[in-house]
Amino acid sequence: RRPVSGRVTLAASEEVSATATTANLSRNDLRKLLIRGLTLAFTAGLFIPQVRKQDAYLWYIAQVDRFNPDNQVSVAEADLLKRAGAIASKVGGFVVDLGSGSGNDFLTLKAADVPDLPLLAVEPNRFTWEKAASEARDLGSDVSFAADLQEVPSSSCALLLTRRVLCSVDDEHAALMEIYRVLKPGGVFVFIEHVAAEDGSALRVTQEVLRPVQQAMANNCDMARDTEKEIRSLPWASVECVAYDEAFNGPLTPHIRGLAVKAG
């Protein structure tokens, strides 16, 4: 009898142990499901434009931008900024970095060689301002900030730079109209932007397919904009624009750079 009793006790113990293990697995599974569900909800939320204006998303973008290595100035860019600086020095007024982020493009503006003109950083993401101010100090520059170009007085700027910024604005044409408004007569707009690939090309198809993902994950960046056409739609005194390919940049390979001078 004792052996039988022992077997019954052992079987009961194994059953209790199995039940406890099942309960533990269920709790672990629930935790995994919860984490995965929250991750999926967060990722899905990024595809909603209103979500990308919330502080949590802006903070995330600011952290990414702090470690953005895209602050090297090419020879062609330096030459472009030097010529723009020569124009701006004759006009006088603010030098504006539109979409300044964490100050990665202050080094680019240094190539304009206009140290006597005040630097104004226009950036809606205030989480980037502290790092941008530090970058300016490291370059020996003073900088003031504005959250929106609408805060800048009309005809007050000698030079305005956008460097891979117009891809992310909500309304590209409206942004260009504001750029035109704040420039002084004779002021210069310098643009370095990635743009849409040629219609019908495989690269253009790729841009269109990946567009929603890029906008969700990269601060509203639209890979397929015809930025040159939009720039030329304004009544500039002159526009020069060069199309080129940025090496090793995938769907963001097609670029333009140039300058546009406001009529005097």
Side-chain angles (χ1 to χ4, degrees), residues 17-63:
S17 177
T19 302
T21 301
T22 302
N24 287 335
L25 286 175
S26 296
R27 285 195 292 270
N28 288 336
D29 287 344
L30 283 173
R31 281 194 289 268
K32 290 178 182 178
L33 285 172
L34 179 60
I35 292 170
R36 290 171 183 172
L38 290 173
T39 302
L40 180 61
F42 174 76
T43 304
L46 298 182
F47 288 84
I48 304 172
Q50 290 79 3
V51 172
R52 298 197 292 268
K53 298 183 185 297
Q54 302 304 310
D55 280 353
Y57 182 80
L58 295 175
W59 180 87
Y60 156 74
I61 289 297
Q63 307 320 302

Side-chain angles (χ1 to χ4, degrees), residues 164-182:
R164 303 182 186 98
V165 167
L166 293 177
C167 59
S168 295
V169 298
D170 291 335
D171 185 330
E172 188 174 42
H173 185 75
L176 286 164
M177 290 289 289
E178 278 296 291
I179 290 170
Y180 192 87
R181 178 186 66 81
V182 302

Side-chain angles (χ1 to χ4, degrees), residues 87-119:
I87 297 171
S89 62
K90 297 176 182 178
V91 175
F94 287 109
V95 171
V96 176
D97 184 359
L98 179 59
S100 55
S102 297
N104 291 311
D105 293 332
F106 291 165
L107 187 63
T108 305
L109 280 170
K110 269 287 187 182
D113 193 24
V114 283
D116 297 330
L117 300 184
L119 174 61

Side-chain angles (χ1 to χ4, degrees), residues 6 28 61 67 70 109 123 128 155 184 196 234 256 262-263:
N28 288 336
I61 289 297
F67 302 102
D70 186 24
L109 280 170
E123 172 54 59
T128 65
S155 302
K184 283 187 169 184
L234 275 69
I256 58 171
K262 185 175 179 178

